[in-house]
Amino acid sequence: MMATPILQISGLTMDFGGIRALNRLDLEVHAGEIVALIGPNGAGKTTFFNCLTGIYTPTAGEILLTPPGSTKNVSLKGLKPNHVTEKGLARTFQNIRLFSQMTVLENVMIGRHCRTKAFILGAILRNAATRREERQIVEMSYAILDKVGLAHLANEFARNLPYGAQRRLEIARALATEPFLLLLDEPAAGMNPQETQELDRLIKEISTDGHSILLIEHDMKLVMSLSDRIFVMDYGKKIAQGKPSEIRSNPAVIKAYLGEDVDA
Amino acid sequence: MLGFKEIKNGLLVSLWFVFLTFPLMVVKVDPVERIVRWRWENSLYVAIGTFAVFLLVKIIIQRRSRNAAVDKEAEQKKESFIHRVLASPRQKFTLIALLLAVAIVFPLFSSSYQTNVMTTALMYVVLGLGLNIVVGMAGLLDLGYVAFYAVGAYSYALLNHHFDLGFWAVLPIGGGLAAIFGILLGFPVLRLRGDYLAIVTLGFGEIIRLVLENWSEFSKGPSGISNISRPGLFGIEFGLDGAIIYIYYLMIVFMIVTIFIVNRLQDSRLGRAWIALREDEIACQAMGIDKRKTKLVAFSLGAFWAGIIGVVFAAKTTFINPASFTFLESAIILAIVVLGGMGSIVGVIFGALILILLPEYLRALSEYRMLAFGAILVAMMVFRPQGLISNIRRTYHSDKKFPSPTQQ
C-alpha cells in the first residue's frame, strides 16, 4: 500500500455565478513528487491554485493536507491564505507579485514572517530574543537567496531585477515560509531558453531538498523533463493523468490542445 | 533656447489669464459713486507677468532636462545629500547633537509666541509620524485621522473636568482610548482599499466631530470645554510663560520617544509586514501574513499617537471645542506625510516643520500668505512628487560573504 498522499483533493468544484470553473476535480500529490498541471488557457488551472491557497473558497469538495511523516490531515477548505501558508503550502504567482519597493532580501524576509513571533513590544524593546530572531531571519534569507543564485543582489530593489531573477525571487520567497509543498504557477512564463534551463535545474534541486512540487506550466519541454506525473485539465475538468510518456500520446490531450479533426 | 512655439504658447497663456482675471482685476464697482471703474492697465500687468513666469518656467524645465541628460549621476548625488549624512554614523550623530542643542536653547532666546509656534510644529511632527504608520507604511489612506486626535483631547478635557484627573494620569488613557477607536474604525474597513477606504475614514472623522458638536450633555457642544488644567511636574504648577516652556520641552521628549519607537517599528518584522501589505495585499497574505491583524495594529498604533498629542493639545490650549477637529486638520497632517515623503521618518519631520512653520513666518506677507503657501505646495508637488526626502530601505548583511558570480 502506498503512503498517504500529502495533498489529496477530491471533488473540488468552484462556481462563479452560473459558470462552473472547476468541475469535481480529483488530484493527489505524494511526498517528494513533482506533479505538473497542464491544460489550454482558461482551463481553470489558476482557479484551482487559488482554491487551494485560500484566495477563493471552493463551492464543494475537500482539500486534505497531510504533513510528511504524520498521519493526521488538515482540511484547507475555507482557510484564509495566511493560514494555508502556515500549514506548509506556499505558492508563486503567474503574474509576478513581488514587493517591488522592498529589497530582494526583505522580500525573502517577509516569507519568514509566519515562522517568527516578534511583535509590537519586541520591535520597540528590541530585546535579546528579538535580536536573535532577526539575525536568524537575515541569515536564513541569505541562505535561501544563495540557493536561487541571488545572494549578491540581496540589497537591490526587487523591481530592478531582470525578469528571470524576479521569477526566481518569487520561488525564494515562497521557500522562506518552509513549505513541504510548493505550488508554482507558470514559473517559466516569459523566460528565455537559458533561463528556463536554469529554472529546470533549480526546481530539481528544490525537489531533492525534500519539497514536493505542484506546478502549472505551458513549456512542454520543461514539464516533460521535470514531472513524475502530469494532470491535464480542460474546461474545469480533469481529462487525463499519468506519466509524461503516457500523456504525450493520450488522444484526449491532443484533442484539447490541437482541436478535433473535422471529417467532412 | 526658446523657439517661436514657446513664445506663441506664452502669448496664448497670458491672454487666457487676462480673460480669467478680467472680472477681478479690471472691473471695479464703486458702490458710493455708483459707477464702474475700468482698470485696463491691470490687464496689461497680468499679461506681462504671466508671460514672464511662463517663459521662466519653460527655461528652467529646459535646463533641468538638459542637465539631467548630461549629468544624471551628479543629480542623484545631490538629491541624496541628507541620505549620505544619515548613512554615516558620525555625521548623523553630529547632526542630531546639533539639532538637539538648538532645540534645547531655543526657548531661552525666543519669545513665548515663538516657543508656542514651535511647540505646535513639534506636535504636528508626532501626528505626522503617527499617520505615517497608517498611510506611509501600511498604505491605508486615512482621511479621518483627526478623529483620534479629538478622542485624545476630549478624554483629557472630560476626565479633567469631571474627575479632576491630572495630565500624566490621562496621557496613557487618552492614547489607549484613541487606539481602541482605531480598532473600532479598523474592523469595518478591513476589506476596503484605496478610494473606498478614504471615503469611509473621512466619514468616520466627520461622525466623531458631529457627535462632539451635537451631543451637548456629553461634550458641551460647540461652546467647548474651558479651564482645562495645564500639565504639572511632580505637583509643581507653572505660570503661563513657564507652562509654555514646559510643554515645549515635553514635546521635544515626546518627539524623540516617537522617532525612536517608529524607527524601530519600521525596521522590525511588523514594519516589514506593513510595507508588504502596502505593496501587494494578495501576495502578502500568501506569504503567511495575517492581513486583519496587521491592519488593525497599524490603525491602532497610528491612532495611539494622535490620542497622546490630543491630550497635549487640550493641556496646551486649556480650551477645546469641535472646531479644532475639522477635516482641514486631517488634510494638513496627510499633507505633511505626503509632502515629506511617504514612509520616510526624516521626511515627515521636515514636512511638518515646513507646513506648520511656513504659514506662521509668512505672516509678514499678510493677506498673500495662504496664496504663497499654496504656490509653494504646488511647486513642491511639481518638482518633487515623491516628497522632500524619500525613504531608503534598510540593508542587511550576512556574516558570510556572497560574491557575485561574475567575480568568482
Side-chain angles (χ1 to χ4, degrees):
Chain A
M1 201 192 107
M2 270 186 97
T4 4
I6 56 168
L7 177 73
Q8 178 143 39
I9 293 159
S10 43
L12 192 72
T13 304
M14 179 80 216
D15 292 336
F16 292 109
I19 296 166
R20 178 149 289 193
L22 295 179
N23 196 353
R24 276 177 283 157
L25 219 64
D26 299 323
L27 187 154
E28 73 279 343
V29 179
H30 293 273
E33 264 188 327
I34 301 181
V35 176
L37 186 62
I38 63 171
N41 285 326
K45 303 182 299 292
T46 297
T47 306
F48 175 73
F49 264 28
N50 285 343
C51 282
L52 238 63
T53 51
I55 293 175
Y56 300 147
T57 307
T59 317
E62 191 51 273
I63 308 165
L64 293 175
L65 201 64
T66 316
S70 156
T71 48
K72 258 196 283 181
N73 54 27
V74 277
S75 168
L76 294 185
K77 197 183 165 193
L79 283 189
K80 287 218 163 65
N82 52 308
H83 293 130
V84 172
T85 309
E86 277 170 28
K87 297 276 184 274
L89 190 150
R91 71 173 289 180
T92 67
F93 292 90
Q94 183 179 0
N95 39 351
I96 297 176
R97 280 178 172 271
L98 287 171
F99 307 119
S100 54
Q101 300 274 346
M102 299 175 93
T103 65
V104 169
L105 186 73
E106 279 178 314
N107 267 277
V108 182
M109 288 168 81
I110 286 292
R112 297 298 302 150
H113 189 95
C114 62
R115 303 291 174 220
T116 45
K117 284 197 202 64
F119 210 54
I120 304 174
L121 274 185
I124 294 172
L125 300 176
R126 211 173 271 178
N127 51 343
T130 312
R131 285 202 304 271
R132 202 175 327 117
E133 192 181 270
E134 280 285 298
R135 199 68 240 155
Q136 280 167 357
I137 294 175
V138 171
E139 288 303 329
M140 187 151 179
S141 306
Y142 260 108
I144 292 170
L145 278 181
D146 192 35
K147 183 187 283 301
V148 300
L150 293 172
H152 61 289
L153 298 171
N155 288 315
E156 290 288 322
F157 274 112
R159 60 162 188 270
N160 294 341
L161 290 189
Y163 186 81
Q166 292 197 6
R167 285 250 174 239
R168 275 182 288 149
L169 178 55
E170 270 220 332
I171 296 177
R173 189 177 65 174
L175 282 177
T177 66
E178 290 177 32
F180 57 84
L181 178 59
L182 192 61
L183 306 186
L184 304 175
D185 196 346
E186 294 200 28
M191 281 188 169
N192 63 34
Q194 195 209 331
E195 284 173 327
T196 309
Q197 223 169 42
E198 280 169 27
L199 182 74
D200 185 297
R201 216 167 24 234
L202 176 64
I203 293 178
K204 277 176 182 152
E205 224 176 276
I206 294 169
S207 169
T208 10
D209 286 348
H211 299 276
S212 312
I213 293 166
L214 176 60
L215 82 157
I216 295 175
E217 188 49 68
H218 280 303
D219 186 325
M220 280 310 142
K221 209 173 128 208
L222 185 70
V223 169
M224 294 301 167
S225 143
L226 281 175
S227 22
D228 299 313
R229 279 185 307 129
I230 299 177
F231 284 81
V232 189
M233 278 177 74
D234 197 14
Y235 295 111
K237 271 189 192 157
K238 182 169 77 186
I239 57 173
Q241 77 176 79
K243 293 202 161 47
S245 54
E246 298 164 15
I247 294 299
R248 220 189 293 252
S249 53
N250 187 313
V253 178
I254 295 166
K255 191 175 105 183
Y257 268 93
L258 300 177
E260 206 166 354
D261 281 338
V262 182
D263 294 321
Chain B
M1 273 310 280
L2 291 171
F4 171 71
K5 205 180 124 206
E6 272 86 3
I7 298 196
K8 194 186 83 185
N9 280 346
L11 283 175
L12 281 176
V13 167
S14 47
L15 260 182
W16 177 241
F17 262 81
V18 166
F19 173 71
L20 277 183
T21 53
F22 178 80
L24 205 70
M25 302 298 283
V26 178
V27 184
K28 189 180 185 187
V29 180
D30 193 329
V32 182
E33 309 238 330
R34 289 171 168 269
I35 51 163
V36 176
R37 288 175 206 275
W38 301 92
R39 300 169 298 173
W40 292 108
E41 71 278 6
N42 279 350
S43 63
L44 186 69
Y45 299 151
V46 169
I48 294 172
T50 319
F51 190 63
V53 169
F54 181 84
L55 289 190
L56 200 69
V57 170
K58 275 285 170 203
I59 290 173
I60 291 174
I61 288 176
Q62 261 191 3
R63 190 167 295 170
R64 270 171 64 98
S65 59
R66 203 180 311 143
N67 280 0
V70 170
D71 199 352
K72 209 171 181 180
E73 201 93 322
E75 182 100 347
Q76 219 151 22
K77 274 204 186 112
K78 200 170 70 192
E79 172 177 286
S80 60
F81 168 72
I82 191 91
H83 289 160
R84 262 187 305 146
V85 171
L86 291 177
S88 126
R90 215 166 115 223
Q91 285 181 8
K92 183 178 170 185
F93 184 75
T94 322
L95 183 74
I96 291 174
L98 209 70
L99 285 179
L100 205 62
V102 171
I104 286 171
V105 298
F106 181 78
L108 308 177
F109 292 99
S110 48
S111 63
S112 296
Y113 165 71
Q114 297 283 357
T115 312
N116 222 345
V117 168
M118 198 49 90
T119 309
T120 312
L122 292 178
M123 283 167 57
Y124 278 89
V125 169
V126 179
L127 284 172
L129 288 173
L131 187 63
N132 187 38
I133 295 177
V134 187
V135 179
M137 295 192 210
L140 306 161
L141 184 51
D142 184 352
L143 290 181
Y145 191 62
V146 76
F148 307 122
Y149 185 42
V151 168
Y154 267 87
S155 50
Y156 180 46
L158 290 171
L159 288 172
N160 186 261
H161 182 78
H162 293 296
F163 305 104
D164 221 22
L165 284 179
F167 173 79
W168 291 104
V170 180
L171 197 62
I173 301 176
L177 270 178
I180 291 171
F181 270 81
I183 294 174
L184 282 182
L185 167 67
F187 261 114
V189 301
L190 274 173
R191 290 159 167 276
L192 304 179
R193 273 189 75 86
D195 314 358
Y196 305 100
L197 177 69
I199 292 167
V200 176
T201 52
L202 175 66
F204 178 78
E206 286 301 287
I207 288 170
I208 297 275
R209 187 179 64 82
L210 287 171
V211 166
L212 291 174
E213 207 148 277
N214 293 299
W215 191 6
S216 300
E217 300 83 54
F218 172 71
S219 66
K220 302 198 172 179
S223 56
I225 301 169
S226 51
N227 283 327
I228 304 166
S229 10
R230 292 200 167 82
L233 178 68
F234 302 116
I236 310 167
E237 296 291 327
F238 293 94
L240 181 60
D241 281 349
I244 286 174
I245 294 177
Y246 176 51
I247 295 180
Y248 171 80
Y249 282 124
L250 213 62
M251 273 318 302
I252 293 271
V253 174
F254 280 179
M255 184 183 74
I256 292 170
V257 172
T258 310
I259 293 173
F260 176 79
I261 291 179
V262 173
N263 191 32
R264 286 205 153 178
L265 281 174
Q266 188 175 12
D267 281 339
S268 71
R269 171 176 175 269
L270 188 59
R272 284 194 300 271
W274 283 333
I275 295 165
L277 193 69
R278 180 187 73 194
E279 295 290 305
D280 191 322
E281 221 170 84
I282 289 178
C284 180
Q285 271 190 299
M287 288 304 112
I289 291 172
D290 190 338
K291 182 176 95 175
R292 174 192 289 251
K293 194 164 148 195
T294 312
K295 273 192 183 180
L296 286 181
V297 169
F299 267 121
S300 63
L301 271 183
F304 176 80
W305 297 119
I308 294 276
I309 296 306
V311 174
V312 175
F313 174 73
K316 173 173 168 277
T317 55
T318 72
F319 166 77
I320 54 167
N321 71 349
S324 309
F325 308 106
T326 54
F327 169 65
L328 187 68
E329 289 294 310
S330 290
I332 286 178
I333 304 169
L334 185 67
I336 286 172
V337 177
V338 176
L339 185 84
M342 295 261 259
S344 154
I345 293 174
V346 187
V348 169
I349 297 169
F350 274 93
L353 293 179
I354 289 174
L355 270 182
I356 304 304
L357 295 183
L358 211 56
E360 287 298 333
Y361 293 123
L362 284 177
R363 266 181 210 283
L365 300 173
S366 61
E367 65 230 63
Y368 294 108
R369 92 188 157 108
M370 285 327 265
L371 188 70
F373 182 59
I376 291 170
L377 277 191
V378 171
M380 265 299 305
M381 283 296 109
V382 170
F383 293 110
R384 279 199 70 84
Q386 73 273 44
L388 280 174
I389 297 158
S390 54
N391 192 25
I392 33 167
R393 290 308 304 155
R394 197 183 147 182
T395 53
Y396 298 85
H397 296 282
S398 167
D399 298 337
K400 281 174 258 159
K401 284 271 171 282
F402 296 102
S404 119
T406 49
Q407 287 166 358
Q408 274 173 343

